[in-house]
Amino acid sequence: MSGPTGDETLETLVREREIIVCCGSGGVGKTTTAAVIALQAAEAGRKAVVVTIDPAKRLADALGLDGLTNEPSRIDGDFPGELSAMMLDTKSTFDDLVGAHASDDEQRRRILDNSFYRNISGALSGTQEYMAMEKLYELHDGRNSGKHDFDLIVIDTPPTRNALDFLEAPSRLTRFLDHRLYKIMTAPNRGVLKAVNMAAQTFVRSIAKVVGADVIDDAIAFFQAFDGMEQGFKDRATKVEELLRADDTAFVLVASPRRDTMDEATFFAEKLAEGGIPVRSLVINRMHPNFADGLAEATRERANSLDGQAIGDLYRNLADFQLVSSREEEHLAVLAETVAPAPVVRVPFLRSDVHDLDGLREIETYLR
Amino acid sequence: MKPTEYFAASRLLIVAGKGGVGKTVVTAALARAAAMAGRSSLIVEVEGKSGLPLMFGHPELGYDELVLHKGGGTDGHAEVTARTITPDAALIEYLEDHGLSRISKRLVSSGALDIVATAAPGIRDILVLGKVKQLQRSAAADVIILDAPAAGHAITFLRSARGLMDAVKVGPINTQAKDVLELLEDHDACQVLLVTLPEETPVNELVETAFSLEDQVGVGLGPVVVNGLYEDYPGLGEPAAKAAEDADVSLLAGEAEALDEAAEFRRHRIALQADQVDRLSEQLPLPQLTMPFLFQSEIGPDELDRLARAMLVGIEALDVDLTLGEGS
């Protein structure tokens, strides 16, 4: 894969790539950015779908996501292309995956009914990340089967501190599913493996003592039922990972201008780079507006010299914005260097909160 | 209400809110405010790396236990300490304490840790809360402030005790779950402070979280913390040209426009924020503590002191009956 050349603007990515992954920490506006990118693609005439994880209610309403269907639904709007949206349902995506790999309906039922299995989507870390990637693969692959025909899939990722968490999620989950817990429990205590098995059985029994034998029995029953499906899951995970690293996939890092979230984003970008994935564009949401050039300190001094009068308050207010804006730019410079030559897109702190298509359109004007 | 009463002996304050609302800043400001009131505090973080030590001017990022602010000086301030208890570490420690010490490495490498956590969902959370209860019982500080996991995780996190009591009917985990539930339901000893920004989406989510917590966990809710409020300046309503004339000051070219535009922006946001704060009061009958937006992108010790003082003013204004004991 080639690195970013620096001449690809976010708008180019939106027009040319097949997959855009929006990543970053929680509370920075990833979902909104993902929705805006999909809208922009639709306005450029493409068939776009945005897969969101956990949209705020009003944005979900605006995108027509009131029902949980786990399948894309079209959004009506005045654009030459098409815009669809869907909300990821981790559990039913996993159920579908089990259904696709089970050898027969009986095996599928045994897995879906198992209480250990039912815990997985809620309790096993990395599952949501993997299912997001799985959905991405399914939508992309749908072009081959004729099920879907999206030109661009924009995916919002769950908030993770470590970028590698979701890059590694597929292999981590397959390793987990491949666990032969039941073999340890049922293995004969003979031959050269005897010592190993004895230790392992002691181990499982100790765990059972702590959490109770029932839950361990459920776990063993799950791994028994799952037997034979590991390879299918592994192959799929390999394909999903290949897709994430494909040339047509672009990672967009989203951050907010606070020092702590910028630090997190820098860490995130470094981890992505370690995983061999470059950030193609950086979007900073909610930058404070700056209303005048010059130094905040000078304006503040002027305000202090006019203390107690309206003009002093007006200068003080101007200095506030000059200060916060210059600090934000300072922190941004560090992050921008980390992701260079990826372009930086600044979205200002808007006058009003965003929760409908018009709001998304307002943000879109800054994404060019 | 007197801050010394609010930060009463062996009280546990759990700070919760969605990502990006400033949960960690509020945690730090509460601890600093307690210190100013002469109460020692212990901050417990559960998510590893955070910017919290930086707010106290402490460069260290990873830590087990750290003194962030020394007490006992002439100002009468008390000590602030912090420690992290990550869920995985708590689980390993627990299993080691229960006869699995020789194979703790294998727990991680074999993936068995994930199997245990999936077999008994919430086990990591309950162990973190169990450790917190231990700290509280040992009177590690006057007040313990727990920076809870972000967003919807907070509900899962706090609900773990009840969920596990159903899933694991006997044994040490069941005992631990009971123990934790007892603490969470003791409204004198434990309060959840929900944090929000004065914006539509965070307010909606906070209201939802508040009702879920009351219904599903039975936990006592303390005051809601509204973070990031723009402070008003009285002169912002005045047009710059007129204000300059009144003060006999001459403005540079374009300056009046910049001043007016900045003032208009701030007044507009202040009005929006006020609407959201009103809406929050209507939908959630809980007292509010407010923290100003500091027009900084980074919180250091000076900024933290300002926020802590704002916190103390808010606590002084709280009605005792509303926030303590059975009245809540």
Side-chain angles (χ1 to χ4, degrees):
Chain A
M1 181 155 66
S2 57
T5 54
D7 53 8
E8 267 183 314
T9 61
L10 180 56
E11 203 176 3
T12 319
L13 298 177
V14 171
R15 283 172 187 275
E16 293 173 1
R17 298 298 172 113
E18 291 178 7
I19 292 169
I20 292 180
V21 182
C22 292
C23 53
S25 50
V28 296
K30 269 198 309 283
T31 307
T32 307
T33 301
V36 172
I37 287 175
L39 173 68
Q40 193 172 24
E43 298 200 325
R46 303 187 83 190
K47 288 183 182 164
V49 58
V50 55
V51 183
T52 76
I53 306 293
D54 186 21
K57 196 169 179 314
R58 278 189 66 173
L59 182 62
D61 290 348
L63 294 173
L65 293 174
D66 37 0
L68 256 179
T69 59
N70 206 31
E71 286 296 328
S73 56
R74 273 284 287 281
I75 297 160
D76 294 327
D78 180 22
F79 26 69
E82 285 177 22
L83 177 61
S84 301
M86 63 160 286
M87 182 148 68
L88 180 76
D89 177 350
T90 304
K91 174 132 191 351
S92 62
T93 306
F94 208 144
D95 289 354
D96 291 348
L97 199 57
V98 168
H101 288 92
S103 55
D104 53 36
D105 203 48
E106 203 263 322
Q107 185 182 28
R108 189 181 71 89
R109 277 261 63 88
R110 262 169 65 211
I111 293 172
L112 298 193
D113 289 344
N114 179 281
S115 56
F116 181 84
Y117 169 76
R118 291 201 300 265
N119 291 342
I120 290 180
S121 51
L124 182 62
S125 62
T127 308
Q128 199 183 33
E129 285 85 344
Y130 180 27
M131 289 308 136
M133 298 307 131
E134 169 59 31
K135 199 71 197 176
L136 172 67
Y137 184 85
E138 189 193 309
L139 291 169
H140 188 258
D141 192 52
R143 300 199 300 191
N144 300 329
S145 62
K147 197 177 171 216
H148 302 294
D149 62 345
F150 297 113
D151 302 324
L152 174 69
I153 304 159
V154 187
I155 190 152
D156 170 25
T157 57
T160 27
R161 188 153 282 173
N162 187 343
L164 295 183
D165 277 356
F166 78 86
L167 289 178
E168 285 168 358
S171 55
R172 184 166 174 205
L173 188 72
T174 46
R175 211 181 319 125
F176 175 85
L177 293 173
D178 203 11
H179 211 281
R180 306 298 182 89
L181 186 65
Y182 66 96
K183 289 220 166 126
I184 293 170
M185 289 305 282
T186 54
N189 291 318
R190 280 182 281 115
V192 283
L193 289 174
K194 182 178 170 181
V196 178
N197 280 326
M198 288 290 281
Q201 290 193 25
T202 312
F203 171 68
V204 173
R205 280 198 207 99
S206 319
I207 292 178
K209 251 187 253 161
V210 177
V211 299
D214 289 0
V215 292
I216 293 298
D217 286 349
D218 283 339
I220 291 168
F222 166 77
F223 287 109
Q224 262 167 346
F226 200 78
D227 196 15
M229 281 170 57
E230 315 82 79
Q231 197 53 47
F233 264 72
K234 261 189 213 160
D235 294 347
R236 182 70 165 217
T238 310
K239 284 186 190 160
V240 170
E241 208 184 318
E242 279 169 10
L243 184 62
L244 287 178
R245 294 172 185 280
D247 280 342
D248 279 322
T249 303
F251 278 68
V252 171
L253 182 60
V254 187
S256 79
R258 287 196 344 222
R259 162 79 191 266
D260 50 349
T261 58
M262 296 254 210
D263 284 352
E264 272 180 34
T266 305
F267 178 70
F268 206 99
E270 286 166 358
K271 284 285 174 189
L272 274 181
E274 270 172 39
I277 292 181
V279 170
R280 299 288 175 178
S281 183
L282 171 66
V283 176
I284 306 288
N285 284 320
R286 302 160 64 93
M287 296 279 293
H288 278 88
N290 190 8
F291 298 95
D293 296 337
L295 289 175
E297 288 74 14
T299 311
R300 174 104 41 214
E301 237 168 73
R302 187 143 169 83
N304 290 340
S305 72
L306 295 164
D307 203 23
Q309 304 175 75
I311 190 73
D313 285 346
L314 290 167
Y315 273 117
R316 185 162 299 122
N317 178 51
L318 189 66
D320 282 346
F321 283 103
Q322 280 177 312
L323 181 67
V324 70
S325 158
S326 65
R327 287 289 152 82
E328 288 175 355
E329 286 294 343
E330 277 168 34
H331 299 313
L332 176 54
V334 178
L335 177 55
E337 198 175 317
T338 309
V339 301
V344 179
V345 175
R346 293 170 173 77
V347 179
F349 200 97
L350 301 176
R351 281 170 48 98
S352 312
D353 300 336
V354 173
H355 35 62
D356 53 21
L357 277 183
D358 286 339
L360 295 180
R361 281 210 168 91
E362 192 182 348
I363 296 180
E364 200 202 327
T365 59
Y366 298 97
L367 255 58
R368 292 175 201 285
Chain B
M1 153 173 228
K2 285 206 178 71
T4 44
E5 274 170 47
Y6 186 72
F7 297 112
S10 63
R11 178 169 261 209
L12 170 63
L13 301 175
I14 300 173
V15 182
K18 75 169 228 142
V21 297
K23 211 164 44 69
T24 303
V25 182
V26 170
T27 302
L30 274 169
R32 189 70 188 92
M36 287 173 169
R39 297 285 190 193
S40 66
S41 58
L42 169 65
I43 297 171
V44 176
E45 290 201 284
V46 295
E47 288 184 322
K49 190 178 177 290
S50 95
L52 189 119
L54 272 176
M55 296 173 194
F56 287 87
H58 211 293
E60 223 159 315
L61 285 173
Y63 56 92
D64 287 330
E65 185 154 351
L66 192 63
V67 176
L68 293 175
H69 185 85
K70 280 210 178 80
T74 48
D75 54 8
H77 290 186
E79 189 175 74
V80 178
T81 48
R83 60 174 298 169
T84 46
I85 304 176
T86 63
D88 268 354
L91 181 53
I92 291 172
E93 188 186 319
Y94 184 84
L95 292 172
E96 283 178 349
D97 287 350
H98 287 79
L100 292 159
S101 55
R102 280 185 304 137
I103 39 176
S104 63
K105 269 202 194 111
R106 244 188 83 200
L107 281 173
V108 182
S109 64
S110 69
L113 206 58
D114 281 341
I115 293 181
V116 174
T118 306
I123 189 167
R124 288 185 176 98
D125 298 336
I126 202 74
L127 294 173
V128 168
L129 287 166
K131 282 226 70 155
V132 171
K133 176 148 189 184
Q134 240 179 51
L135 289 167
Q136 186 221 20
R137 208 176 267 153
S138 68
D142 289 334
V143 57
I144 295 176
I145 305 170
L146 174 65
D147 189 356
H153 291 304
I155 299 172
T156 325
F157 179 70
L158 295 171
R159 205 173 42 195
S160 60
R162 190 152 282 169
L164 264 180
M165 275 174 59
D166 296 338
V168 184
K169 298 253 188 286
V170 287
I173 288 291
N174 181 277
T175 313
Q176 181 124 36
K178 265 190 201 142
D179 216 32
V180 166
L181 198 61
E182 205 179 82
L183 170 64
L184 294 179
E185 287 180 343
D186 181 346
H187 294 196
D188 274 333
C190 172
Q191 264 193 2
V192 175
L193 279 79
L194 294 170
V195 184
T196 188
L197 293 174
E199 292 170 30
E200 170 151 347
T201 300
V203 165
N204 290 347
E205 292 185 356
L206 178 128
V207 172
E208 237 169 75
T209 307
F211 285 113
S212 304
L213 282 178
E214 272 198 331
D215 295 351
Q216 299 175 16
V217 185
V219 75
L221 294 174
V224 172
V225 183
V226 183
N227 184 29
L229 279 168
Y230 280 23
E231 286 171 302
D232 202 358
Y233 297 149
L236 293 188
E238 200 82 355
K242 182 174 176 299
E245 204 183 297
D246 288 350
D248 208 12
V249 171
S250 58
L251 298 174
L252 302 172
E255 213 174 11
E257 288 75 13
L259 290 168
D260 284 339
E261 213 187 324
E264 201 277 332
F265 185 89
R266 187 173 188 130
R267 289 174 59 210
H268 180 76
R269 289 260 23 148
I270 287 174
L272 285 181
Q273 291 186 337
D275 287 349
Q276 296 305 329
V277 170
D278 287 349
R279 209 163 59 81
L280 179 61
S281 316
E282 271 165 35
Q283 297 188 5
L284 202 62
L286 286 173
Q288 296 175 358
L289 294 173
T290 56
M291 297 218 305
F293 182 70
L294 294 182
F295 288 90
Q296 280 283 352
S297 60
E298 177 176 18
I299 307 292
D302 293 345
E303 290 77 24
L304 189 60
D305 278 7
R306 275 185 65 191
L307 295 175
R309 281 194 294 274
M311 198 68 102
L312 287 174
V313 170
I315 290 170
E316 298 255 14
L318 290 178
D319 187 341
V320 179
D321 290 342
L322 268 175
T323 52
L324 269 184
E326 295 309 303
S328 63

